[in-house]
Amino acid sequence: MSGPLRLVPDEAGPEWAEQTMQLRTLPRQRRRPAPPEPADDGLDLSADPIDALAERLADVCADAVHPYEIAAFLESDGLTDEQAALNYGRPDSFTLAEELFTKVARRYPGPSAEFANPWRADPWRCVVRGLVFALPGLGYLLGANLFAVDRMRFGLPSGMVALSVATLASWSWNQALAHRSYAWLGRGRRRAAGRCLAIGAPAGALVAAVSAYVVGGPLSSLLFAAGQSGYLAAATVLLVLGREKSLLVALAPSALGAGVVLAVDVPQVVRTCVLLATLALALALAVREVVRCLRSEQDATVLRLPLSKEIPQGLFGLAVGTLTLIAGLGTTIHQAVDGGVRATDAAAPTGPAMVALTLSLGLAEWLLFRYRAMAVAALRTSHTPGQFVRRTGGVLLGCLLTYLTTVAALDAAATVLWPGAPNLGTVQLGALLVLGGALWLALLLNAFGHSWSTALICLAAAIAECAGLLAGADPTLLQLMGCGAAALVLTSIAGPALGRTTKHR
């Protein structure tokens, strides 16, 4: 993929950052509940002040599925346990919330045009993002002659190992960079996000290029790895700032060039010029967007974000990249470790599978937003916590099945169009689907803040598959067991965690 999926919703406009910071499923925050006014001599002094509070918060209490929702609202308004005891005679805000929940009758509003879909996502925009995730693969077709096929390392042409290491370094770094940049944008700090991208993107490209140089290979392949690192850095900038169409423009020369290469034989000099045109366009467009961010209004207050929060994001990017590379190159490496079969001696069905997986990333992102939108709708129509859990569980299962069905259909279509590609067997198709399911569940949990758990689970699966691959185990079975176990663990976490109403407020 050419860049990590975004973790927060955005509309790529200057005003969306403030909108993401507002709770769109709650009414506008009311002022802190004031203590009841002293009663006149002619009134009943024994009236419970909670009655006035229940009347004031009638809409919030009537819409609540659980008393904890009311407690969260009270605490967000600044009501402390001491104030609950002093003003309302209850020991804490939770007891007060339980009484309010009991006192006010349920009045669920159901879905509405304003609240049913706060996580809006443009389907066509997700289609474009799917294309920009998949089209960079055409660069390998244009640069295939840059790798020395007469010298092999681990069953791969010399230089491919260095390119793989650079790819993993870029994915890991750019995932953390994108998460940090989104964190700044979510707080309305567009200038800080631009500064983060201006420093982090070139640094990540440098780290990836140096990693390839350390591994070693032909000069042409090392230059290709450096160019790829620069492109991935520029793509991260454009994707974070919502400029998918600009990235699509940058990819146009490579797409057209790859089409010509498939039809006629083109000299390597021409192929290299096409690759350099894509790289130059991507870098120029990324620089333009960063400069626009740096020219934004100066932030009024100083805010610091801890770097420690990016560690799990970097590990997550590394794990996802490793699992994807094993799915694509595992068969070739296994043949080299097991008996020295060259990469060109046997056809493997991994090419169409990788095309299907990358093309499906646009749909994966749309389904993430769709799940969150339908979960919010379920929150407003469920009458009990149990009913909410069942509805969100059904939504989760439906989104996952939709994604896996699409991956299988895309693989079938890519196999038909790929010259000489063998059909996926049952085991290979199962391995592809458990990989896709594990990645989608990991992205979903990561978007809900479960960054450490998803990173460690995916990293454990990647390490286990690497160890088994180097020991000579069958890569398809390794992927089936490793990604299958990860998918099961992620599912066991997603069910209870995402069934809590507070996760969707």
Side-chain angles (χ1 to χ4, degrees):
M1 70 182 77
S2 60
L5 293 178
R6 56 187 175 179
L7 301 180
V8 295
D10 65 274
E11 299 300 332
E15 73 280 353
W16 72 265
E18 291 82 4
Q19 295 174 355
T20 61
M21 298 302 297
Q22 299 174 358
L23 291 177
R24 302 185 221 180
T25 56
L26 282 176
R28 186 178 297 277
Q29 190 179 45
R30 295 169 172 79
R31 291 177 296 178
R32 181 180 303 175
E37 297 179 358
D40 295 333
D41 293 339
L43 298 178
D44 184 8
L45 297 180
S46 64
D48 192 343
I50 197 176
D51 294 334
L53 182 63
E55 182 179 355
R56 189 179 308 125
L57 303 181
D59 292 339
V60 174
C61 299
D63 294 350
V65 176
H66 193 278
Y68 286 174
E69 296 182 52
I70 303 176
F73 183 80
L74 293 174
E75 291 180 352
S76 70
D77 272 356
L79 183 71
T80 64
D81 291 342
E82 291 77 8
Q83 292 172 336
L86 178 64
N87 299 332
Y88 302 103
R90 271 62 179 181
D92 51 51
S93 58
F94 288 95
T95 304
L96 181 60
E98 290 176 356
E99 293 198 26
L100 289 171
F101 185 80
T102 304
K103 183 179 290 290
V104 179
R106 307 278 72 75
R107 189 181 67 252
Y108 301 103
S112 65
E114 181 181 1
F115 293 111
N117 190 6
W119 292 87
R120 292 176 297 272
D122 183 4
W124 291 110
R125 186 178 185 183
C126 293
V127 170
V128 173
R129 290 177 73 91
L131 288 176
V132 300
F133 289 146
L135 287 178
L138 297 175
Y140 298 110
L141 177 63
L142 294 170
N145 295 337
L146 298 176
F147 300 90
V149 295
D150 57 332
R151 288 181 292 168
M152 308 296 288
R153 298 177 66 183
F154 297 103
L156 301 173
S158 182
M160 281 296 292
V161 177
L163 180 63
S164 300
V165 172
T167 302
L168 291 178
S170 292
W171 279 0
S172 177
W173 184 284
N174 291 332
Q175 176 68 27
L177 175 64
H179 182 270
R180 188 169 183 82
S181 301
Y182 279 128
W184 283 119
L185 290 173
R187 289 163 174 79
R189 305 298 183 98
R190 194 169 183 84
R191 185 185 181 95
R195 188 164 53 247
C196 178
L197 292 170
I199 298 173
L206 180 62
V207 168
V210 170
S211 300
Y213 177 79
V214 170
V215 174
L219 178 60
S220 58
S221 64
L222 296 181
L223 292 176
F224 184 90
Q228 175 189 267
S229 303
Y231 168 79
L232 289 175
T236 300
V237 171
L238 294 174
L239 288 173
V240 167
L241 297 178
R243 297 296 183 261
E244 296 86 0
K245 294 181 180 179
S246 297
L247 185 55
L248 195 61
V249 171
L251 288 168
S254 291
L256 295 175
V260 174
V261 167
L262 290 175
V264 298
D265 187 21
V266 178
Q268 185 56 50
V269 175
V270 178
R271 299 186 183 193
T272 303
C273 291
V274 172
L275 290 173
L276 291 176
T278 290
L279 176 61
L281 278 173
L283 291 175
L285 292 170
V287 169
R288 184 190 68 176
E289 296 303 325
V290 168
V291 170
R292 288 179 177 177
C293 289
L294 294 177
R295 290 176 178 174
S296 301
E297 185 178 352
Q298 181 68 38
D299 300 325
T301 59
V302 178
L303 179 64
R304 297 184 183 278
L305 297 179
L307 287 172
S308 59
K309 291 187 177 181
E310 316 313 329
I311 296 176
Q313 300 299 329
L315 293 176
F316 178 67
L318 176 63
V320 169
T322 303
L323 291 173
T324 306
L325 283 180
I326 291 176
L329 302 176
T331 301
T332 303
I333 297 174
H334 169 69
Q335 291 170 349
V337 172
D338 216 25
V341 180
R342 292 171 62 93
T344 57
D345 291 340
T350 55
M354 291 300 98
V355 171
L357 194 62
T358 52
L359 280 175
S360 69
L361 290 177
L363 174 67
E365 180 175 331
W366 183 82
L367 287 173
L368 294 179
F369 286 95
R370 184 62 179 167
Y371 171 80
R372 303 203 73 164
M374 295 181 72
V376 171
L379 184 63
R380 297 186 59 80
T381 56
S382 299
H383 293 192
T384 64
Q387 188 180 39
F388 175 74
V389 170
R390 290 190 296 272
R391 288 185 177 181
T392 52
V395 171
L396 177 62
L397 182 61
C399 290
L400 182 59
L401 290 178
T402 300
Y403 177 65
L404 297 181
T405 303
T406 305
V407 171
L410 288 173
D411 177 74
T415 301
V416 172
L417 298 175
W418 192 285
N423 293 324
L424 276 183
T426 304
V427 178
Q428 290 85 355
L429 180 60
L432 174 64
L433 294 182
V434 294
L435 172 62
L439 295 184
W440 189 82
L441 289 170
L443 287 171
L444 179 65
L445 286 172
N446 197 29
F448 275 93
H450 297 268
S451 53
W452 271 111
S453 58
T454 54
L456 294 178
I457 292 169
C458 293
L459 194 61
I463 293 174
E465 289 190 22
C466 287
L469 190 61
L470 295 178
D474 182 76
T476 304
L477 294 178
L478 282 175
Q479 183 179 336
L480 194 62
M481 292 185 295
C483 293
L488 288 176
V489 175
L490 291 170
T491 302
S492 65
I493 295 176
L498 303 185
R500 301 192 188 110
T501 57
T502 52
K503 279 289 183 181
H504 306 274
R505 279 298 193 182

